[in-house]
């Protein structure tokens, strides 16, 4: 007897939370939230995980709360430098959803992002997607003219690629027959980033969420993925199915990257699965 209908029913009833990190980029956040308002699957809640922005960001959130057919929550913490791990943990603690999609406030979703993460979700796995990079000039045009790129077709992107507005076309290709190959690299942690990753909440809680021991920009997402894999979870690829459109922005301060690299190497040499400073404090 086939179990496929039962699995599909479980996916259909999954309570999903989308966690979008942001910091003082209200125009980019507005473009991202427009993408979520247009989702084909709107059966989810959204948390704007705000790492200490000013009131302008709160105003953007309020505008979209009034327009959305799904709940939008604003989780804010005081600005004490780059603390993406902490604000993601606060959002993870605030939701009761079964399944969590992490992304960023500079990553515009295509209209099927939530639906695709739902379709590909599977017990024993987490999903890692990819991104398409927009150039500085094209990003500025998108934000200034409020271009709804989340609605663009492949032909539009082919034209923009010829003009140098994006770095590549491959992430936009939809390859349904690729599903059979999504578990070819079950323990791959490199390349899996919290700008496009999802997992069951109980698995995220099992590893105590993200490790806030990392200070400043860099590698806290790699740490999370390594610990998820260490529990026995499989990295299931969401490539060729659920890309995000990564808006250009100035590089974050990377002064702590060397220290974070040392910390990540210690994690690779260790055997623990729980974050030392994680979601349990909330």
């Amino acid at each position: 007897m086939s179990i496929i209908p039962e699995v599909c029913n479980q996916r259909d009833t999954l309570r999903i939370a989308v966690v979008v990190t942001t910091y003082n980029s209200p125009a980019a956040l507005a473009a991202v939230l427009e993408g979520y308002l247009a989702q084909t699957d709107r059966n989810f809640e959204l948390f704007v995980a705000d790492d200490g922005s000013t009131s302008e960001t709160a105003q953007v959130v309020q505008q979209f709360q009034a327009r959305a057919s799904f709940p939008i929550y604003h989780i804010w913490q005081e600005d004490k430098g780059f603390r993406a791990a902490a604000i993601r943990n606060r959002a993870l603690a605030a939701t009761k959803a079964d399944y969590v999609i992490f992304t960023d406030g500079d990553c515009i979703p295509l209209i099927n992002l939530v639906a695709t993460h739902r379709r590909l979700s599977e017990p024993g796995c987490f999903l890692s997607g990819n991104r398409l990079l927009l150039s500085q000039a094209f990003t500025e045009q998108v934000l200034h003219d409020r271009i709804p790129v989340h609605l663009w077709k492949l032909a539009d992107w082919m034209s923009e690629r010829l003009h140098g507005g994006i770095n590549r076309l491959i992430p936009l290709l939809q390859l349904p027959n690729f599903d059979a190959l999504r578990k070819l690299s079950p323990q791959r942690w490199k390349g899996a980033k919290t700008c496009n990753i999802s997992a069951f909440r109980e698995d995220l809680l099992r590893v105590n969420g993200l490790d806030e021991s990392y200070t400043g920009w860099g590698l806290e997402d790699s740490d999370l993925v390594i610990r998820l894999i260490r529990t026995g979870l499989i990295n299931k690829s969401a490539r060729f199915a659920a890309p995000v459109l990564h808006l250009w922005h100035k590089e974050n301060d990377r002064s702590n990257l060397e220290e974070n690299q040392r910390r990540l190497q210690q994690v690779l040499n260790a055997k623990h699965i729980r974050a030392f400073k994680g979601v349990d404090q909330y």
Side-chain angles (χ1 to χ4, degrees):
M1 180 176 178
S2 175
I3 63 170
I4 292 178
E6 181 181 349
V7 172
C8 290
N9 288 337
Q10 291 174 348
R11 287 172 176 162
D12 290 343
T13 58
L14 268 185
R15 296 174 300 166
I16 292 179
V18 176
V19 177
V20 178
T21 57
T22 191
Y23 175 71
N24 282 334
S25 300
L29 178 62
V32 169
L33 294 179
E34 289 287 0
Y36 283 106
L37 258 59
Q39 291 296 298
T40 57
D41 179 347
R42 299 178 193 176
N43 184 22
F44 63 96
E45 60 183 7
L46 188 145
F47 289 82
V48 175
D50 188 345
D51 191 15
S53 301
T54 62
S55 60
E56 191 175 356
T57 292
Q59 293 170 8
V60 170
V61 175
Q62 290 167 7
Q63 292 167 7
F64 280 89
Q65 286 173 328
R67 295 174 54 197
S69 61
F70 50 86
I72 297 180
Y73 305 101
H74 187 196
I75 306 293
W76 182 89
Q77 66 184 8
E78 186 179 355
D79 185 359
K80 293 183 178 180
F82 187 94
R83 294 191 296 149
I87 198 61
R88 286 192 178 105
N89 279 342
R90 289 178 184 273
L92 179 59
T95 184
K96 301 301 180 186
D98 306 305
Y99 198 77
V100 180
I101 301 171
F102 286 119
T103 185
D104 287 333
D106 55 13
C107 292
I108 300 175
L110 299 184
I111 61 173
N112 64 345
L113 182 87
V114 173
T116 302
H117 275 268
R118 182 188 298 276
R119 178 178 68 82
L120 294 177
S121 65
E122 181 180 350
C125 301
F126 66 92
L127 292 175
S128 59
N130 55 352
R131 57 183 176 162
L132 179 76
L133 302 179
L134 278 62
S135 70
Q136 179 179 358
F138 185 43
T139 293
E140 291 172 352
Q141 181 185 3
V142 167
L143 298 183
H144 181 270
D145 298 338
R146 299 184 180 181
I147 301 173
V149 288
H150 56 279
L151 300 177
W152 275 21
K153 305 300 183 184
L154 185 58
D156 300 311
W157 290 111
M158 291 176 67
S159 175
E160 193 56 48
R161 179 71 178 101
L162 293 175
H163 290 88
I166 56 175
N167 66 327
R168 53 185 178 159
L169 279 171
I170 289 178
L172 294 170
L173 299 180
Q174 301 287 306
L175 302 179
N177 294 331
F178 189 74
D179 283 2
L181 306 176
R182 296 197 180 281
K183 300 178 185 177
L184 283 182
S185 302
Q187 295 189 316
R188 180 178 176 83
W189 60 268
K190 293 182 178 179
K193 300 181 181 299
T194 42
C195 67
N196 191 357
I197 195 171
S198 64
F200 284 90
R201 183 172 181 265
E202 63 180 4
D203 290 328
L204 293 167
L205 294 180
R206 183 176 300 117
V207 299
N208 201 19
L210 289 104
D211 197 331
E212 300 174 28
S213 303
Y214 289 81
T215 57
W217 181 90
L219 302 180
E220 75 281 350
D221 44 5
S222 296
D223 178 286
L224 171 65
V225 170
I226 289 167
R227 289 182 290 107
L228 287 172
I229 291 172
R230 196 167 280 163
T231 68
L233 292 184
I234 288 173
N235 181 350
K236 184 178 179 181
S237 175
R239 294 173 180 269
F240 304 114
V244 293
L245 312 174
H246 195 160
L247 298 165
W248 179 91
H249 58 82
K250 293 181 180 179
E251 281 192 350
N252 291 302
D253 178 8
R254 303 193 177 194
S255 57
N256 289 325
L257 181 57
E258 186 175 345
E259 174 60 30
N260 286 352
Q261 288 172 330
R262 284 196 292 268
R263 185 179 297 279
L264 184 66
Q265 187 57 51
Q266 292 173 352
V267 171
L268 286 167
N269 295 335
K271 296 182 180 180
H272 70 282
I273 65 169
R274 289 183 59 81
F276 295 115
K277 185 180 180 183
V279 69
D280 60 356
Q281 62 192 307
Y282 308 110

